[in-house]
């Protein structure tokens, strides 16, 4: 297992994400589902130019699963996937740099303005911490011979990386829901957010409601 720091400037980021965007915390669902759709779109593009091999009958989708008893939300796609190096690049570097840009510019803004600029600074993925205490990424790249990789962060400056468990190409993001996000374990609340943000996504989206992980 490898450990590291996202950034030495990040200690105040996660509390501000939770407090500043509190009134619009359902936006995390738009960001994570959109990321899954983007992963599928990128894979299709690579396949169209002969850079990736996919089954012509494969059904692409993004699935949002509620595990009520375990207090988890899981967003999974069968898109392009990521290697360990790509997770480090896109999650620890690029996405985080956008989040720190947001942090530097939010001061003096109203709450509405704060939530509007979320997309402009690449905060997307880190909006998960508005509702989750811990977030995991488990991904397997489309690249031949790729190994699955897992990333885990408890909402601070430290992250852990280790070998992943995913056996099929794509990405699974697991949100271990905290007190601020328990409402999203309710089907009605989740469906309302899905209708609000995800009705016109370019990839089919499915919702599963499960009580036990073995179901």
């Amino acid at each position: 297992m490898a450990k590291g720091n996202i950034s030495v400037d990040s200690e105040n980021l996660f509390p501000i994400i939770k407090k500043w965007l509190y009134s619009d915390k359902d936006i995390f669902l738009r960001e994570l589902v959109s990321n899954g759709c983007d992963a599928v779109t990128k894979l299709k593009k690579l396949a169209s130019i002969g850079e990736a091999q996919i089954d012509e009958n494969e059904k692409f989708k993004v699935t949002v699963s509620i595990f009520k008893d375990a207090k988890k939300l899981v967003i999974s796609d069968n898109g392009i996937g990521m290697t360990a190096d790509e997770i480090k690049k896109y999650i620890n570097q690029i996405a985080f740099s956008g989040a720190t840009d947001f942090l530097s510019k939010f001061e003096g803004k109203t709450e509405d303005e704060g939530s509007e600029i979320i997309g402009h600074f690449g905060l997307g993925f880190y909006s998960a911490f508005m509702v989750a205490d811990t977030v995991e990424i488990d991904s397997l790249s489309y690249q031949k011979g790729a190994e699955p990789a897992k990333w885990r962060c408890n909402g601070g400056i430290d992250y852990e990386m280790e070998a992943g468990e995913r056996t099929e190409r794509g990405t699974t993001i697991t949100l271990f829901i905290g007190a601020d996000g328990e409402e999203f374990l309710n089907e009605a609340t989740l469906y309302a957010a899905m209708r609000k943000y995800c009705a016109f996504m370019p990839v089919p989206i499915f919702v599963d409601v499960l009580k036990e992980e073995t179901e």
Side-chain angles (χ1 to χ4, degrees), residues 101-203:
D101 282 344
F102 171 84
L103 180 64
S104 68
K105 296 178 186 299
F106 91 101
E107 293 180 339
K109 301 288 186 181
T110 66
E111 285 192 11
D112 288 342
E113 289 174 317
S115 61
E116 281 299 314
I117 65 176
I118 189 173
H120 294 288
F121 297 114
L123 185 56
F125 171 75
Y126 285 99
S127 64
F129 287 98
M130 288 192 287
V131 297
D133 291 333
T134 298
V135 178
E136 287 183 353
I137 300 172
D138 199 358
S139 193
L140 177 60
S141 172
Y142 78 98
Q143 298 177 37
K144 188 174 182 180
E147 297 290 336
K150 177 177 281 190
W151 177 97
R152 179 183 178 94
C153 180
N154 295 320
I157 65 172
D158 298 318
Y159 68 86
E160 298 176 350
M161 288 210 56
E162 60 185 337
E165 301 163 359
R166 187 165 175 125
T167 57
E168 297 181 351
R169 183 205 63 242
T171 299
T172 300
I173 299 176
T174 302
L175 281 63
F176 295 85
I177 301 298
D180 287 341
E182 288 187 357
E183 65 195 88
F184 294 100
L185 297 171
N186 179 285
E187 303 98 289
T189 302
L190 187 76
Y191 280 127
M194 296 283 286
R195 286 191 295 268
K196 179 179 177 181
Y197 292 121
C198 305
F200 300 103
M201 295 285 184
V203 177

Side-chain angles (χ1 to χ4, degrees), residues 37-47 52 80 90:
C37 291
D38 287 347
V40 170
T41 300
K42 289 175 181 176
L43 179 66
K44 288 181 176 180
K45 177 63 176 177
L46 288 174
I80 195 171
Y90 295 116

